[in-house]
Amino acid sequence: MATPIGNLGDFSPRAVAVLAAVDRIFCEDTRHSRRLLDHYGITTALEPLHAHNERRMAGQLVARMRDAGEACALVSDAGTPLISDPGYVLVSSALDAGVAVRTVPGPSALVAALSISGLPTDRFVFEGFLPSAGGARARRLAALTDEPRTLVFYEAPHRLLAMLTDLREAFGANRVAVVTRELSKRFETVYRGTLETLLGTLGADPHATRGEIVVLVAGAPQVATDAQEAEIDRLLGVLLAETDQRTAVRVVTRLTGARRNAVYRRALALAADD
Ligand code: SAM
């Protein structure tokens, strides 16, 4: 069941009623969740279920629900469990064991951010946290370069500027992006711009790299206009005379924000024309 991502007013009456009625609540951090329950005078027993014990515990918790008929709720520290949070192993094990699983829907930072981002919402890709290791991170971003759907990422505040730098490298300086912070809280702020302008704005504002953050990136433009293609050809023409094809494609992708494959195809076509 979902819990608020920062504003207690977002906790639904049904969520409170269900938490008070179940036999047990699984949560990431019992002290954190106890504070929430205390606020509503809920005394239901809490039991820790987090990234480090979920795989080990899921089987026995599910057996208890199935064999002893215990009604249990699952919460995470904030937002919707399983969304970059523990719970997948428990839910899938419960379903495999024939235990009924029901939802009490509510806040999730991903949907909250997407819905006010101004970016297309009809199709989107949730990527959660990017891998922090250089190689895995670069490979994940490379795989997303030509993704046409809006991209949604979670990120820790102290890593935001490094992340925006990596996004600029992968998607080009002109790709539009949105950084949302402290959603539903007092200092909720939304920054919109190209990756280049966002790096400038956020780099100059110490507040921007504090609090909780969701980063959204516009999908790759699908069709280059004639003017864009002419610009890509012009830049490639200059660069291919000065450097190797790989570098030329990378620089032009970065300068224009066009899809790397599209720039690569133009580079091949120009080479064939020569
Ligand atoms: N399960 C949660 C959900 O449904 O949104 C997400 C849990 S994940 C461990 C925590 C990340 O969610 C944070 O690092 C941040 O990226 C995002 N987040 C959570 N609360 C937020 C808020 N109030 N404003 C912006 N981002 C938030």
Side-chain angles (χ1 to χ4, degrees):
M1 102 165 35
T3 55
I5 57 168
N7 191 323
L8 271 189
D10 296 335
F11 210 20
S12 76
R14 186 161 85 93
V16 175
V18 169
L19 287 179
V22 292
D23 300 312
R24 196 171 297 276
I25 300 166
F26 302 129
C27 64
E28 284 185 272
D29 176 343
T30 51
R31 275 179 306 175
H32 178 95
S33 294
R34 179 55 64 201
R35 280 196 294 277
L36 178 71
L37 299 192
D38 283 349
H39 185 82
Y40 294 95
I42 298 171
T43 55
T44 310
L46 287 168
E47 194 165 324
L49 187 83
H50 42 68
H52 305 292
N53 73 353
E54 182 178 9
R55 208 156 276 284
R56 180 162 47 84
M57 296 292 293
Q60 86 191 55
L61 300 182
V62 167
R64 247 164 45 197
M65 288 187 260
R66 186 193 53 206
D67 302 337
E70 260 194 7
C72 298
L74 170 69
V75 297
S76 56
D77 283 351
T80 301
L82 282 80
I83 306 301
S84 291
D85 265 340
Y88 171 71
V89 179
L90 182 72
V91 168
S92 54
S93 309
L95 292 171
D96 287 347
V99 172
V101 179
R102 300 187 58 193
T103 183
V104 181
S108 185
L110 122 82
V111 173
L114 186 66
S115 62
I116 59 165
S117 68
L119 295 175
T121 54
D122 50 346
R123 298 169 73 220
F124 64 91
V125 181
F126 175 58
E127 281 290 321
F129 291 94
L130 281 172
S132 48
R137 188 175 173 96
R139 280 193 296 282
R140 178 75 61 84
L141 285 174
L144 294 170
T145 311
D146 292 339
E147 171 57 60
R149 294 168 289 184
T150 298
L151 297 156
V152 188
F153 301 93
Y154 285 164
E155 188 51 290
H158 64 280
R159 296 213 190 126
L160 176 64
L161 294 180
M163 182 208 200
L164 291 175
T165 306
D166 290 347
L167 295 178
R168 181 181 63 182
E169 177 69 24
F171 301 145
N174 292 330
R175 186 77 74 90
V176 169
V178 178
V179 173
T180 64
R181 59 180 288 273
E182 295 291 84
L183 294 167
S184 76
K185 304 187 204 178
R186 183 163 170 218
F187 295 110
E188 176 174 304
T189 321
V190 180
Y191 304 86
R192 297 186 179 83
T194 62
L195 287 167
E196 186 70 40
T197 57
L198 281 173
L199 263 167
T201 314
L202 298 172
D205 177 359
H207 295 293
T209 48
R210 292 200 198 123
E212 299 199 272
I213 285 166
V214 181
V215 177
L216 306 98
V217 180
Q222 281 311 276
V223 247
T225 62
D226 288 349
Q228 282 166 331
E229 275 201 349
E231 178 66 357
I232 289 168
D233 284 2
R234 188 183 70 79
L235 292 170
L236 279 173
V238 174
L239 282 164
L240 285 169
E242 301 292 334
T243 185
D244 59 284
Q245 187 183 67
R246 194 183 147 93
T247 308
V249 168
R250 185 160 49 80
V251 173
V252 173
T253 302
R254 191 163 162 191
L255 284 173
T256 60
R259 297 166 64 199
R260 188 163 45 183
N261 279 351
V263 176
Y264 180 62
R265 274 197 300 275
R266 286 310 303 156
L268 290 181
L270 290 177
D273 287 348
D274 279 348

